[in-house]
């Protein structure tokens, strides 16, 4: 869906993007992760054809997005981190206006409008004035406008910043639903908890460069040295750590209250034996579980926390 080569963007003496290469297959939910100032918004704006790079190549669905932006526009839905709404319109009027701007055929316009209102849970506010909407509802309305024309590629810059916790859960469900329909999504955020659970691939950006990119599972496999174990005991962490330190397959032991985390270089088949050893030592074991690293832990392992 997206192919980027040798992309560079300069703002005077500041280099926002430097020799960036990126390929995103169709149907991916790609998370752009990095601190503020890393170049995420610049990259999304170039993909949305709102900004020209200093040089480089960008193709979207096989179309040259730099030289033929008008051909790309029907394929794209773009939602910026800061947006304005027409407060004097009703919710349905606002969406109808943009459906006409997108060129949605008249016979399909009403059905599309009702569909997106239901998807973002604003169908009960269909006849409300936009000015009466809360911040979270305004965020949902902008998202509804973004997907009215059924774009193949969604470009979302900090899309959940105005949503409450329940709204963020609903937002993740909406993205998963769109992904199941084959939509490719590029989503930028510096809040990693927003990205967990729905990103299929990620790119970590710093100083305008991609430090790493790829499928989440592949990156985890590269970073994880063995299984990450979480062990909970009853006030016997010292005895537990002593036992774990004597095992050559155990490393990176960290104690937090009655919880002990570590890396286990053996296989899952060897975990029952570790479990038996802990119990046979008379340690009151509450639980022993295998945990997966999340995006925040991936980022902390890779990132140097640098901006452009």
């Amino acid at each position: 869906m997206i192919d980027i080569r040798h992309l560079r963007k300069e703002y005077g003496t500041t280099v926002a993007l430097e020799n960036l290469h990126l390929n995103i297959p169709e149907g991916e939910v790609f998370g752009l992760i990095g601190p503020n100032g890393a170049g995420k918004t610049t990259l999304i704006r170039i993909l949305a054809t709102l900004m020209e790079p200093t040089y480089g190549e960008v193709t979207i669905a096989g179309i040259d997005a730099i030289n033929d932006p008008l051909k790309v526009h029907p394929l794209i839905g773009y939602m910026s981190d800061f947006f304005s709404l027409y407060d004097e319109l009703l919710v349905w009027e606002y969406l109808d206006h943009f459906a006409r701007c997108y060129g949605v055929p008249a016979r399909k316009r009403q059905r599309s409008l009702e569909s997106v209102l239901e998807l973002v849970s604003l169908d009960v506010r269909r006849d409300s004035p936009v000015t009466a909407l809360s911040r979270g509802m305004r965020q949902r309305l902008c998202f509804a406008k973004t997907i009215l024309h059924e774009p193949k590629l969604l470009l979302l810059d900090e899309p959940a910043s105005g949503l409450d916790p329940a709204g963020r859960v609903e937002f993740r469900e909406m993205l998963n639903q769109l992904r199941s329909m084959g939509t490719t999504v590029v989503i930028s955020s510096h809040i990693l908890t927003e990205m967990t659970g729905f990103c299929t691939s990620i790119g970590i950006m710093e100083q305008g460069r991609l430090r790493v990119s790829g499928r989440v599972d592949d990156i985890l496999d590269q970073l994880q040295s063995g299984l990450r174990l979480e062990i909970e005991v009853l006030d016997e962490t010292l005895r537990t750590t002593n036992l774990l330190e004597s095992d050559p397959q155990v490393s990176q032991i960290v104690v937090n209250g009655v919880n002990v985390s570590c890396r286990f270089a053996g296989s899952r088949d060897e975990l029952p034996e570790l479990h038996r050893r802990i119990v046979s030592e008379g340690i009151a074991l509450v639980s022993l579980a295998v945990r997966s690293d999340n995006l925040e832990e991936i980022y902390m392992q890779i990132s140097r926390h640098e901006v452009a």
Side-chain angles (χ1 to χ4, degrees), residues 220-231:
L220 281 173
D221 289 341
Q222 294 173 25
L223 293 176
Q224 287 180 336
S225 54
L227 302 172
R228 182 162 71 89
L229 304 183
E230 292 286 346
I231 302 169

Side-chain angles (χ1 to χ4, degrees), residues 224-229 247-251 262-274 288 290:
Q224 287 180 336
S225 54
L227 302 172
R228 182 162 71 89
L229 304 183
D247 191 326
Q249 296 194 98
V250 176
S251 62
C262 63
R263 291 285 181 181
F264 182 67
S267 67
R268 285 177 174 269
D269 293 342
E270 297 173 271
L271 285 178
E273 177 57 32
L274 177 63
L288 187 155
V290 179

Side-chain angles (χ1 to χ4, degrees), residues 83-156:
F83 57 86
S84 298
L85 302 176
Y86 299 138
D87 287 343
E88 66 275 14
L89 297 181
L90 302 180
V91 167
W92 77 264
E93 290 175 330
Y94 174 82
L95 292 176
D96 184 71
H97 167 71
F98 275 97
R100 294 169 188 268
C101 291
Y102 286 137
V104 178
R107 65 182 183 278
K108 186 180 178 182
R109 198 177 301 142
Q110 185 63 31
R111 186 171 68 252
S112 298
L113 191 152
E114 300 297 340
S115 177
V116 296
L117 280 174
E118 184 177 355
L119 180 64
V120 302
S121 301
L122 282 179
D123 43 338
V124 295
R125 304 303 295 266
R126 183 184 187 280
D127 298 312
S128 300
V130 172
T131 188
L133 300 181
S134 66
R135 182 182 176 188
M137 288 180 180
R138 294 168 74 90
Q139 197 95 353
R140 294 184 194 186
L141 180 58
C142 185
F143 183 71
K145 178 267 297 180
T146 304
I147 61 175
L148 255 177
H149 60 302
E150 300 178 0
K152 292 185 177 180
L153 172 63
L154 274 181
L155 304 170
L156 308 176

Side-chain angles (χ1 to χ4, degrees), residues 265-301:
S267 67
R268 285 177 174 269
D269 293 342
E270 297 173 271
L271 285 178
E273 177 57 32
L274 177 63
H275 189 285
R276 280 192 292 270
R277 284 183 57 203
I278 295 173
V279 173
S280 65
E281 289 293 322
I283 296 171
L285 178 66
V286 177
S287 64
L288 187 155
V290 179
R291 304 296 187 195
S292 296
D293 286 334
N294 56 36
L295 292 183
E296 191 167 307
E297 289 161 329
I298 294 175
Y299 179 69
M300 295 306 295
Q301 290 187 58

